[in-house]
Each structure stands twice: as C-alpha cells, then as structure tokens.
Amino acid sequence: SQVMARQLTEAVRDYLDANQFAWHLNAQYVRRAAELSPSNRQIDYLRQAVHENPRDASLYLEIASIAAAAPNPDPATLRDNFETALRLNPNNVDTRLSFADALLTLGDRATARKQYQLALYYNDQLDLQEGKRLSAKRVQEVQAKIDAIK
C-alpha cells in the first residue's frame, strides 16, 4: 500500500479521487485523507467531511482537538466545533472535559468551570456499570479543577 511505502502524497490523492466517485463514503475518504495529511491541511479535509456528514459529532471533535493542539489556537474554530459536537452528543463526558480544558487555555475560566460541572452531571447520569463512566479518582481531579476556578 502507498501508506506503508510512505507515499503519503499519492495516498491522499487516491483517497480524494475515490471521494469523487463514492458519494456514500465521502466523509470516510476525506477523513482518511485528513489523517494522512500535514496538520495545516487536516482541518480543511475534515471540514469537507463535515460537509458530507454534518451529523457526525466525531468530525467536529477532531477539528476542535486539532485547533486546541495548535500553538495559538483559533478561539472561534475551537468553540464552534466543540459546541457543535456537544449539541449532537450532549452526554459525552470526555468531550465536555476536553472542551473545558481548552477553554482554560483560552482564559475562559467561567465557561470552563461550567463545562467541568456539566461533565460531572452527565457522568452521574451514566449507569454505574457503564465503561465510559469516570473513575472515582478522575471525578476527584475534575472536582479539584472546579474548586480551583472558584
């Protein structure tokens, strides 16, 4: 495969060509192109995938995560994509925690605190046996962040 041979440019081109002809898989092809692309192109490809599948919360989360990892994160990109991901999947505790952490880096302490609180609220709504439920240690860590923001 081209990916194994480190021919990333050719692999990305092939994914994009396939995207043109397989309309029902467009979002998947564009997502794969994003994975193989340099970081400065990933968001562009993921936005194409969002265009093909606007109800996929994970696409917005990927864009937000890439934006958050940038040396100088774009606040609008970060907020818009985290907020959209949470509108599509409001119960996602991990997304809320990631959003709260990103908000802290932007200096928005009040909104970060609210997201940490909502994460704990939604965590409490999960069944005790749910694998996505935060550990007691993690709950304490989040609570400590909330207390530190006061």
Side-chain angles (χ1 to χ4, degrees), residues 3 6 8-9 11-12 15-16 27-47 49 56 58-59 62-63 66:
V3 175
R6 299 271 186 223
L8 297 180
T9 303
V12 168
Y15 276 124
L16 293 175
Q28 287 297 351
Y29 285 119
V30 177
R31 178 181 245 148
R32 297 299 173 250
E35 290 172 1
L36 298 171
S37 297
S39 59
N40 64 333
R41 292 291 318 227
Q42 289 177 338
I43 288 178
D44 293 335
Y45 286 129
L46 288 167
R47 284 184 175 139
D56 185 345
S58 69
L59 293 170
E62 284 184 58
I63 293 170
I66 292 167

PDB file of all heavy atoms in Angstrom, residues 3 6 8-9 11-12 15-16 27-47 49 56 58-59 62-63 66:
ATOM      1  N   VAL A   3       0.507   3.931   1.713  1.00  0.00           N
ATOM      2  CA  VAL A   3       0.751   4.441   3.056  1.00  0.00           C
ATOM      3  C   VAL A   3       1.943   3.726   3.675  1.00  0.00           C
ATOM      4  O   VAL A   3       2.814   4.344   4.282  1.00  0.00           O
ATOM      5  CB  VAL A   3      -0.503   4.309   3.942  1.00  0.00           C
ATOM      6  CG1 VAL A   3      -0.204   4.720   5.366  1.00  0.00           C
ATOM      7  CG2 VAL A   3      -1.643   5.132   3.371  1.00  0.00           C
ATOM      8  N   ARG A   6       5.155   4.933   2.547  1.00  0.00           N
ATOM      9  CA  ARG A   6       5.365   6.343   2.892  1.00  0.00           C
ATOM     10  C   ARG A   6       5.160   7.274   1.699  1.00  0.00           C
ATOM     11  O   ARG A   6       5.752   8.321   1.609  1.00  0.00           O
ATOM     12  CB  ARG A   6       6.754   6.564   3.486  1.00  0.00           C
ATOM     13  CG  ARG A   6       7.004   5.820   4.747  1.00  0.00           C
ATOM     14  CD  ARG A   6       6.569   6.679   5.890  1.00  0.00           C
ATOM     15  NE  ARG A   6       6.936   6.054   7.154  1.00  0.00           N
ATOM     16  CZ  ARG A   6       6.119   6.013   8.168  1.00  0.00           C
ATOM     17  NH1 ARG A   6       4.948   6.556   8.097  1.00  0.00           N
ATOM     18  NH2 ARG A   6       6.487   5.439   9.282  1.00  0.00           N
ATOM     19  N   LEU A   8       2.773   9.301   0.986  1.00  0.00           N
ATOM     20  CA  LEU A   8       1.573   9.924   1.540  1.00  0.00           C
ATOM     21  C   LEU A   8       0.879  10.835   0.534  1.00  0.00           C
ATOM     22  O   LEU A   8      -0.354  10.872   0.478  1.00  0.00           O
ATOM     23  CB  LEU A   8       1.912  10.682   2.814  1.00  0.00           C
ATOM     24  CG  LEU A   8       2.435   9.820   3.956  1.00  0.00           C
ATOM     25  CD1 LEU A   8       2.734  10.681   5.168  1.00  0.00           C
ATOM     26  CD2 LEU A   8       1.453   8.732   4.313  1.00  0.00           C
ATOM     27  N   THR A   9       1.620  11.565  -0.248  1.00  0.00           N
ATOM     28  CA  THR A   9       1.002  12.465  -1.215  1.00  0.00           C
ATOM     29  C   THR A   9       0.131  11.680  -2.189  1.00  0.00           C
ATOM     30  O   THR A   9      -1.008  12.057  -2.475  1.00  0.00           O
ATOM     31  CB  THR A   9       2.074  13.262  -1.985  1.00  0.00           C
ATOM     32  OG1 THR A   9       2.870  13.967  -1.042  1.00  0.00           O
ATOM     33  CG2 THR A   9       1.437  14.231  -2.954  1.00  0.00           C
ATOM     34  N   ALA A  11      -1.138   8.687  -1.688  1.00  0.00           N
ATOM     35  CA  ALA A  11      -2.246   8.074  -0.953  1.00  0.00           C
ATOM     36  C   ALA A  11      -3.366   9.081  -0.734  1.00  0.00           C
ATOM     37  O   ALA A  11      -4.546   8.766  -0.917  1.00  0.00           O
ATOM     38  CB  ALA A  11      -1.759   7.518   0.385  1.00  0.00           C
ATOM     39  N   VAL A  12      -3.003  10.299  -0.348  1.00  0.00           N
ATOM     40  CA  VAL A  12      -4.015  11.339  -0.156  1.00  0.00           C
ATOM     41  C   VAL A  12      -4.737  11.611  -1.468  1.00  0.00           C
ATOM     42  O   VAL A  12      -5.963  11.719  -1.507  1.00  0.00           O
ATOM     43  CB  VAL A  12      -3.387  12.636   0.410  1.00  0.00           C
ATOM     44  CG1 VAL A  12      -4.364  13.801   0.337  1.00  0.00           C
ATOM     45  CG2 VAL A  12      -2.928  12.420   1.835  1.00  0.00           C
ATOM     46  N   TYR A  15      -7.199   8.854  -2.144  1.00  0.00           N
ATOM     47  CA  TYR A  15      -8.389   8.965  -1.295  1.00  0.00           C
ATOM     48  C   TYR A  15      -9.323  10.043  -1.815  1.00  0.00           C
ATOM     49  O   TYR A  15     -10.535   9.866  -1.868  1.00  0.00           O
ATOM     50  CB  TYR A  15      -7.999   9.284   0.153  1.00  0.00           C
ATOM     51  CG  TYR A  15      -7.642   8.080   0.977  1.00  0.00           C
ATOM     52  CD1 TYR A  15      -6.416   7.994   1.606  1.00  0.00           C
ATOM     53  CD2 TYR A  15      -8.537   7.022   1.151  1.00  0.00           C
ATOM     54  CE1 TYR A  15      -6.079   6.894   2.379  1.00  0.00           C
ATOM     55  CE2 TYR A  15      -8.213   5.932   1.916  1.00  0.00           C
ATOM     56  CZ  TYR A  15      -6.985   5.860   2.532  1.00  0.00           C
ATOM     57  OH  TYR A  15      -6.662   4.776   3.292  1.00  0.00           O
ATOM     58  N   LEU A  16      -8.759  11.161  -2.210  1.00  0.00           N
ATOM     59  CA  LEU A  16      -9.605  12.251  -2.712  1.00  0.00           C
ATOM     60  C   LEU A  16     -10.257  11.882  -4.038  1.00  0.00           C
ATOM     61  O   LEU A  16     -11.414  12.226  -4.285  1.00  0.00           O
ATOM     62  CB  LEU A  16      -8.794  13.542  -2.832  1.00  0.00           C
ATOM     63  CG  LEU A  16      -8.338  14.118  -1.492  1.00  0.00           C
ATOM     64  CD1 LEU A  16      -7.452  15.326  -1.711  1.00  0.00           C
ATOM     65  CD2 LEU A  16      -9.516  14.461  -0.612  1.00  0.00           C
ATOM     66  N   ALA A  27     -17.434  11.122   3.397  1.00  0.00           N
ATOM     67  CA  ALA A  27     -16.894  11.576   4.677  1.00  0.00           C
ATOM     68  C   ALA A  27     -15.751  10.677   5.140  1.00  0.00           C
ATOM     69  O   ALA A  27     -14.747  11.164   5.662  1.00  0.00           O
ATOM     70  CB  ALA A  27     -17.993  11.644   5.730  1.00  0.00           C
ATOM     71  N   GLN A  28     -15.878   9.375   4.938  1.00  0.00           N
ATOM     72  CA  GLN A  28     -14.809   8.456   5.348  1.00  0.00           C
ATOM     73  C   GLN A  28     -13.541   8.665   4.537  1.00  0.00           C
ATOM     74  O   GLN A  28     -12.435   8.658   5.064  1.00  0.00           O
ATOM     75  CB  GLN A  28     -15.280   7.003   5.236  1.00  0.00           C
ATOM     76  CG  GLN A  28     -16.255   6.609   6.297  1.00  0.00           C
ATOM     77  CD  GLN A  28     -15.643   6.680   7.694  1.00  0.00           C
ATOM     78  OE1 GLN A  28     -14.448   6.872   7.891  1.00  0.00           O
ATOM     79  NE2 GLN A  28     -16.484   6.541   8.699  1.00  0.00           N
ATOM     80  N   TYR A  29     -13.685   8.867   3.233  1.00  0.00           N
ATOM     81  CA  TYR A  29     -12.497   9.086   2.393  1.00  0.00           C
ATOM     82  C   TYR A  29     -11.793  10.388   2.766  1.00  0.00           C
ATOM     83  O   TYR A  29     -10.574  10.434   2.849  1.00  0.00           O
ATOM     84  CB  TYR A  29     -12.868   9.108   0.908  1.00  0.00           C
ATOM     85  CG  TYR A  29     -13.160   7.743   0.349  1.00  0.00           C
ATOM     86  CD1 TYR A  29     -14.399   7.440  -0.168  1.00  0.00           C
ATOM     87  CD2 TYR A  29     -12.186   6.748   0.348  1.00  0.00           C
ATOM     88  CE1 TYR A  29     -14.667   6.174  -0.678  1.00  0.00           C
ATOM     89  CE2 TYR A  29     -12.437   5.486  -0.158  1.00  0.00           C
ATOM     90  CZ  TYR A  29     -13.691   5.204  -0.674  1.00  0.00           C
ATOM     91  OH  TYR A  29     -13.943   3.972  -1.167  1.00  0.00           O
ATOM     92  N   VAL A  30     -12.561  11.420   2.993  1.00  0.00           N
ATOM     93  CA  VAL A  30     -11.956  12.704   3.343  1.00  0.00           C
ATOM     94  C   VAL A  30     -11.309  12.621   4.722  1.00  0.00           C
ATOM     95  O   VAL A  30     -10.232  13.168   4.955  1.00  0.00           O
ATOM     96  CB  VAL A  30     -12.990  13.849   3.259  1.00  0.00           C
ATOM     97  CG1 VAL A  30     -12.381  15.162   3.689  1.00  0.00           C
ATOM     98  CG2 VAL A  30     -13.523  13.972   1.836  1.00  0.00           C
ATOM     99  N   ARG A  31     -11.948  11.905   5.637  1.00  0.00           N
ATOM    100  CA  ARG A  31     -11.360  11.724   6.975  1.00  0.00           C
ATOM    101  C   ARG A  31     -10.017  11.003   6.863  1.00  0.00           C
ATOM    102  O   ARG A  31      -9.048  11.372   7.519  1.00  0.00           O
ATOM    103  CB  ARG A  31     -12.321  10.932   7.851  1.00  0.00           C
ATOM    104  CG  ARG A  31     -11.761  10.661   9.228  1.00  0.00           C
ATOM    105  CD  ARG A  31     -12.716   9.846  10.064  1.00  0.00           C
ATOM    106  NE  ARG A  31     -13.140  10.662  11.171  1.00  0.00           N
ATOM    107  CZ  ARG A  31     -14.314  10.598  11.737  1.00  0.00           C
ATOM    108  NH1 ARG A  31     -15.220   9.771  11.301  1.00  0.00           N
ATOM    109  NH2 ARG A  31     -14.602  11.369  12.758  1.00  0.00           N
ATOM    110  N   ARG A  32      -9.933   9.991   6.014  1.00  0.00           N
ATOM    111  CA  ARG A  32      -8.667   9.275   5.823  1.00  0.00           C
ATOM    112  C   ARG A  32      -7.619  10.193   5.207  1.00  0.00           C
ATOM    113  O   ARG A  32      -6.452  10.139   5.583  1.00  0.00           O
ATOM    114  CB  ARG A  32      -8.855   8.036   4.941  1.00  0.00           C
ATOM    115  CG  ARG A  32      -9.764   6.988   5.519  1.00  0.00           C
ATOM    116  CD  ARG A  32      -9.233   6.445   6.851  1.00  0.00           C
ATOM    117  NE  ARG A  32     -10.221   5.581   7.440  1.00  0.00           N
ATOM    118  CZ  ARG A  32     -10.922   5.868   8.523  1.00  0.00           C
ATOM    119  NH1 ARG A  32     -10.727   6.982   9.167  1.00  0.00           N
ATOM    120  NH2 ARG A  32     -11.807   5.036   9.002  1.00  0.00           N
ATOM    121  N   ALA A  33      -8.023  11.027   4.270  1.00  0.00           N
ATOM    122  CA  ALA A  33      -7.088  11.991   3.685  1.00  0.00           C
ATOM    123  C   ALA A  33      -6.562  12.930   4.763  1.00  0.00           C
ATOM    124  O   ALA A  33      -5.372  13.257   4.794  1.00  0.00           O
ATOM    125  CB  ALA A  33      -7.760  12.777   2.564  1.00  0.00           C
ATOM    126  N   ALA A  34      -7.436  13.344   5.669  1.00  0.00           N
ATOM    127  CA  ALA A  34      -7.014  14.228   6.763  1.00  0.00           C
ATOM    128  C   ALA A  34      -5.982  13.535   7.647  1.00  0.00           C
ATOM    129  O   ALA A  34      -4.990  14.147   8.054  1.00  0.00           O
ATOM    130  CB  ALA A  34      -8.222  14.668   7.586  1.00  0.00           C
ATOM    131  N   GLU A  35      -6.212  12.262   7.933  1.00  0.00           N
ATOM    132  CA  GLU A  35      -5.285  11.522   8.796  1.00  0.00           C
ATOM    133  C   GLU A  35      -3.890  11.435   8.189  1.00  0.00           C
ATOM    134  O   GLU A  35      -2.898  11.386   8.910  1.00  0.00           O
ATOM    135  CB  GLU A  35      -5.815  10.118   9.057  1.00  0.00           C
ATOM    136  CG  GLU A  35      -7.036  10.080   9.947  1.00  0.00           C
ATOM    137  CD  GLU A  35      -7.664   8.703  10.043  1.00  0.00           C
ATOM    138  OE1 GLU A  35      -7.142   7.746   9.420  1.00  0.00           O
ATOM    139  OE2 GLU A  35      -8.677   8.579  10.745  1.00  0.00           O
ATOM    140  N   LEU A  36      -3.829  11.423   6.871  1.00  0.00           N
ATOM    141  CA  LEU A  36      -2.548  11.272   6.184  1.00  0.00           C
ATOM    142  C   LEU A  36      -1.894  12.602   5.831  1.00  0.00           C
ATOM    143  O   LEU A  36      -0.803  12.620   5.281  1.00  0.00           O
ATOM    144  CB  LEU A  36      -2.761  10.461   4.889  1.00  0.00           C
ATOM    145  CG  LEU A  36      -3.274   9.044   5.073  1.00  0.00           C
ATOM    146  CD1 LEU A  36      -3.651   8.439   3.740  1.00  0.00           C
ATOM    147  CD2 LEU A  36      -2.228   8.194   5.777  1.00  0.00           C
ATOM    148  N   SER A  37      -2.560  13.678   6.130  1.00  0.00           N
ATOM    149  CA  SER A  37      -2.104  14.995   5.693  1.00  0.00           C
ATOM    150  C   SER A  37      -1.306  15.713   6.767  1.00  0.00           C
ATOM    151  O   SER A  37      -1.444  15.428   7.952  1.00  0.00           O
ATOM    152  CB  SER A  37      -3.307  15.861   5.326  1.00  0.00           C
ATOM    153  OG  SER A  37      -3.996  15.300   4.257  1.00  0.00           O
ATOM    154  N   PRO A  38      -0.526  16.695   6.336  1.00  0.00           N
ATOM    155  CA  PRO A  38       0.148  17.551   7.324  1.00  0.00           C
ATOM    156  C   PRO A  38      -0.891  18.289   8.155  1.00  0.00           C
ATOM    157  O   PRO A  38      -2.016  18.532   7.692  1.00  0.00           O
ATOM    158  CB  PRO A  38       0.954  18.532   6.473  1.00  0.00           C
ATOM    159  CG  PRO A  38       0.854  18.079   5.068  1.00  0.00           C
ATOM    160  CD  PRO A  38      -0.246  17.073   4.981  1.00  0.00           C
ATOM    161  N   SER A  39      -0.538  18.652   9.367  1.00  0.00           N
ATOM    162  CA  SER A  39      -1.505  19.255  10.286  1.00  0.00           C
ATOM    163  C   SER A  39      -2.146  20.516   9.724  1.00  0.00           C
ATOM    164  O   SER A  39      -3.315  20.781  10.006  1.00  0.00           O
ATOM    165  CB  SER A  39      -0.854  19.550  11.631  1.00  0.00           C
ATOM    166  OG  SER A  39       0.247  20.420  11.456  1.00  0.00           O
ATOM    167  N   ASN A  40      -1.431  21.279   8.919  1.00  0.00           N
ATOM    168  CA  ASN A  40      -2.020  22.507   8.381  1.00  0.00           C
ATOM    169  C   ASN A  40      -3.114  22.237   7.358  1.00  0.00           C
ATOM    170  O   ASN A  40      -3.862  23.139   7.004  1.00  0.00           O
ATOM    171  CB  ASN A  40      -0.935  23.416   7.780  1.00  0.00           C
ATOM    172  CG  ASN A  40      -0.240  22.789   6.590  1.00  0.00           C
ATOM    173  OD1 ASN A  40      -0.160  21.569   6.463  1.00  0.00           O
ATOM    174  ND2 ASN A  40       0.289  23.626   5.726  1.00  0.00           N
ATOM    175  N   ARG A  41      -3.246  20.999   6.882  1.00  0.00           N
ATOM    176  CA  ARG A  41      -4.298  20.650   5.919  1.00  0.00           C
ATOM    177  C   ARG A  41      -5.419  19.817   6.534  1.00  0.00           C
ATOM    178  O   ARG A  41      -6.473  19.642   5.945  1.00  0.00           O
ATOM    179  CB  ARG A  41      -3.701  19.864   4.739  1.00  0.00           C
ATOM    180  CG  ARG A  41      -2.778  20.629   3.831  1.00  0.00           C
ATOM    181  CD  ARG A  41      -3.531  21.665   3.041  1.00  0.00           C
ATOM    182  NE  ARG A  41      -4.785  21.098   2.576  1.00  0.00           N
ATOM    183  CZ  ARG A  41      -5.257  21.175   1.363  1.00  0.00           C
ATOM    184  NH1 ARG A  41      -4.615  21.826   0.475  1.00  0.00           N
ATOM    185  NH2 ARG A  41      -6.408  20.634   1.032  1.00  0.00           N
ATOM    186  N   GLN A  42      -5.199  19.270   7.705  1.00  0.00           N
ATOM    187  CA  GLN A  42      -6.168  18.359   8.309  1.00  0.00           C
ATOM    188  C   GLN A  42      -7.532  19.008   8.509  1.00  0.00           C
ATOM    189  O   GLN A  42      -8.555  18.396   8.203  1.00  0.00           O
ATOM    190  CB  GLN A  42      -5.642  17.825   9.637  1.00  0.00           C
ATOM    191  CG  GLN A  42      -4.511  16.845   9.468  1.00  0.00           C
ATOM    192  CD  GLN A  42      -3.960  16.379  10.788  1.00  0.00           C
ATOM    193  OE1 GLN A  42      -4.115  17.030  11.821  1.00  0.00           O
ATOM    194  NE2 GLN A  42      -3.274  15.249  10.770  1.00  0.00           N
ATOM    195  N   ILE A  43      -7.561  20.214   9.028  1.00  0.00           N
ATOM    196  CA  ILE A  43      -8.842  20.868   9.288  1.00  0.00           C
ATOM    197  C   ILE A  43      -9.601  21.095   7.989  1.00  0.00           C
ATOM    198  O   ILE A  43     -10.814  20.900   7.937  1.00  0.00           O
ATOM    199  CB  ILE A  43      -8.655  22.171  10.099  1.00  0.00           C
ATOM    200  CG1 ILE A  43      -8.281  21.818  11.535  1.00  0.00           C
ATOM    201  CG2 ILE A  43      -9.923  23.025  10.069  1.00  0.00           C
ATOM    202  CD1 ILE A  43      -8.030  23.005  12.440  1.00  0.00           C
ATOM    203  N   ASP A  44      -8.895  21.454   6.921  1.00  0.00           N
ATOM    204  CA  ASP A  44      -9.561  21.644   5.622  1.00  0.00           C
ATOM    205  C   ASP A  44     -10.249  20.355   5.172  1.00  0.00           C
ATOM    206  O   ASP A  44     -11.396  20.380   4.731  1.00  0.00           O
ATOM    207  CB  ASP A  44      -8.557  22.085   4.555  1.00  0.00           C
ATOM    208  CG  ASP A  44      -7.992  23.470   4.823  1.00  0.00           C
ATOM    209  OD1 ASP A  44      -8.663  24.272   5.506  1.00  0.00           O
ATOM    210  OD2 ASP A  44      -6.875  23.744   4.348  1.00  0.00           O
ATOM    211  N   TYR A  45      -9.537  19.244   5.279  1.00  0.00           N
ATOM    212  CA  TYR A  45     -10.132  17.973   4.874  1.00  0.00           C
ATOM    213  C   TYR A  45     -11.300  17.578   5.780  1.00  0.00           C
ATOM    214  O   TYR A  45     -12.326  17.082   5.310  1.00  0.00           O
ATOM    215  CB  TYR A  45      -9.081  16.857   4.868  1.00  0.00           C
ATOM    216  CG  TYR A  45      -8.135  16.945   3.701  1.00  0.00           C
ATOM    217  CD1 TYR A  45      -6.765  16.916   3.901  1.00  0.00           C
ATOM    218  CD2 TYR A  45      -8.592  17.056   2.393  1.00  0.00           C
ATOM    219  CE1 TYR A  45      -5.880  16.987   2.836  1.00  0.00           C
ATOM    220  CE2 TYR A  45      -7.716  17.136   1.333  1.00  0.00           C
ATOM    221  CZ  TYR A  45      -6.360  17.103   1.555  1.00  0.00           C
ATOM    222  OH  TYR A  45      -5.497  17.173   0.501  1.00  0.00           O
ATOM    223  N   LEU A  46     -11.149  17.798   7.068  1.00  0.00           N
ATOM    224  CA  LEU A  46     -12.228  17.450   7.988  1.00  0.00           C
ATOM    225  C   LEU A  46     -13.468  18.319   7.745  1.00  0.00           C
ATOM    226  O   LEU A  46     -14.593  17.842   7.879  1.00  0.00           O
ATOM    227  CB  LEU A  46     -11.758  17.553   9.435  1.00  0.00           C
ATOM    228  CG  LEU A  46     -10.788  16.443   9.852  1.00  0.00           C
ATOM    229  CD1 LEU A  46     -10.134  16.776  11.175  1.00  0.00           C
ATOM    230  CD2 LEU A  46     -11.493  15.092   9.900  1.00  0.00           C
ATOM    231  N   ARG A  47     -13.260  19.564   7.366  1.00  0.00           N
ATOM    232  CA  ARG A  47     -14.414  20.406   7.020  1.00  0.00           C
ATOM    233  C   ARG A  47     -15.141  19.856   5.798  1.00  0.00           C
ATOM    234  O   ARG A  47     -16.360  19.950   5.703  1.00  0.00           O
ATOM    235  CB  ARG A  47     -13.972  21.848   6.802  1.00  0.00           C
ATOM    236  CG  ARG A  47     -13.683  22.560   8.106  1.00  0.00           C
ATOM    237  CD  ARG A  47     -13.346  24.018   7.906  1.00  0.00           C
ATOM    238  NE  ARG A  47     -13.184  24.669   9.192  1.00  0.00           N
ATOM    239  CZ  ARG A  47     -12.246  25.553   9.462  1.00  0.00           C
ATOM    240  NH1 ARG A  47     -11.387  25.921   8.529  1.00  0.00           N
ATOM    241  NH2 ARG A  47     -12.170  26.096  10.659  1.00  0.00           N
ATOM    242  N   ALA A  49     -15.316  16.683   5.130  1.00  0.00           N
ATOM    243  CA  ALA A  49     -16.040  15.533   5.670  1.00  0.00           C
ATOM    244  C   ALA A  49     -17.307  15.987   6.389  1.00  0.00           C
ATOM    245  O   ALA A  49     -18.359  15.350   6.274  1.00  0.00           O
ATOM    246  CB  ALA A  49     -15.138  14.738   6.617  1.00  0.00           C
ATOM    247  N   ASP A  56     -22.164  13.980  12.161  1.00  0.00           N
ATOM    248  CA  ASP A  56     -21.129  13.165  12.797  1.00  0.00           C
ATOM    249  C   ASP A  56     -20.369  14.011  13.811  1.00  0.00           C
ATOM    250  O   ASP A  56     -19.474  14.784  13.461  1.00  0.00           O
ATOM    251  CB  ASP A  56     -20.184  12.606  11.736  1.00  0.00           C
ATOM    252  CG  ASP A  56     -19.154  11.639  12.303  1.00  0.00           C
ATOM    253  OD1 ASP A  56     -18.967  11.600  13.539  1.00  0.00           O
ATOM    254  OD2 ASP A  56     -18.522  10.930  11.500  1.00  0.00           O
ATOM    255  N   SER A  58     -18.133  13.266  15.848  1.00  0.00           N
ATOM    256  CA  SER A  58     -16.700  12.987  15.955  1.00  0.00           C
ATOM    257  C   SER A  58     -15.871  13.849  15.004  1.00  0.00           C
ATOM    258  O   SER A  58     -14.719  14.168  15.306  1.00  0.00           O
ATOM    259  CB  SER A  58     -16.411  11.504  15.722  1.00  0.00           C
ATOM    260  OG  SER A  58     -16.639  11.148  14.372  1.00  0.00           O
ATOM    261  N   LEU A  59     -16.448  14.250  13.881  1.00  0.00           N
ATOM    262  CA  LEU A  59     -15.720  15.121  12.949  1.00  0.00           C
ATOM    263  C   LEU A  59     -15.470  16.489  13.572  1.00  0.00           C
ATOM    264  O   LEU A  59     -14.364  17.034  13.491  1.00  0.00           O
ATOM    265  CB  LEU A  59     -16.489  15.268  11.637  1.00  0.00           C
ATOM    266  CG  LEU A  59     -16.608  14.015  10.785  1.00  0.00           C
ATOM    267  CD1 LEU A  59     -17.586  14.239   9.644  1.00  0.00           C
ATOM    268  CD2 LEU A  59     -15.246  13.585  10.265  1.00  0.00           C
ATOM    269  N   GLU A  62     -12.807  16.176  16.188  1.00  0.00           N
ATOM    270  CA  GLU A  62     -11.460  16.118  15.614  1.00  0.00           C
ATOM    271  C   GLU A  62     -10.959  17.503  15.244  1.00  0.00           C
ATOM    272  O   GLU A  62      -9.804  17.849  15.517  1.00  0.00           O
ATOM    273  CB  GLU A  62     -11.437  15.208  14.383  1.00  0.00           C
ATOM    274  CG  GLU A  62     -11.460  13.746  14.713  1.00  0.00           C
ATOM    275  CD  GLU A  62     -11.339  12.876  13.468  1.00  0.00           C
ATOM    276  OE1 GLU A  62     -10.334  13.022  12.745  1.00  0.00           O
ATOM    277  OE2 GLU A  62     -12.246  12.069  13.236  1.00  0.00           O
ATOM    278  N   ILE A  63     -11.833  18.304  14.619  1.00  0.00           N
ATOM    279  CA  ILE A  63     -11.442  19.670  14.253  1.00  0.00           C
ATOM    280  C   ILE A  63     -11.100  20.463  15.512  1.00  0.00           C
ATOM    281  O   ILE A  63     -10.073  21.144  15.568  1.00  0.00           O
ATOM    282  CB  ILE A  63     -12.550  20.371  13.441  1.00  0.00           C
ATOM    283  CG1 ILE A  63     -12.719  19.700  12.073  1.00  0.00           C
ATOM    284  CG2 ILE A  63     -12.242  21.860  13.279  1.00  0.00           C
ATOM    285  CD1 ILE A  63     -13.939  20.165  11.296  1.00  0.00           C
ATOM    286  N   ILE A  66      -7.725  19.349  16.973  1.00  0.00           N
ATOM    287  CA  ILE A  66      -6.594  19.860  16.201  1.00  0.00           C
ATOM    288  C   ILE A  66      -6.398  21.346  16.494  1.00  0.00           C
ATOM    289  O   ILE A  66      -5.272  21.810  16.701  1.00  0.00           O
ATOM    290  CB  ILE A  66      -6.803  19.608  14.688  1.00  0.00           C
ATOM    291  CG1 ILE A  66      -6.737  18.108  14.391  1.00  0.00           C
ATOM    292  CG2 ILE A  66      -5.766  20.375  13.859  1.00  0.00           C
ATOM    293  CD1 ILE A  66      -7.231  17.733  13.011  1.00  0.00           C
TER     294      ILE A  66
END
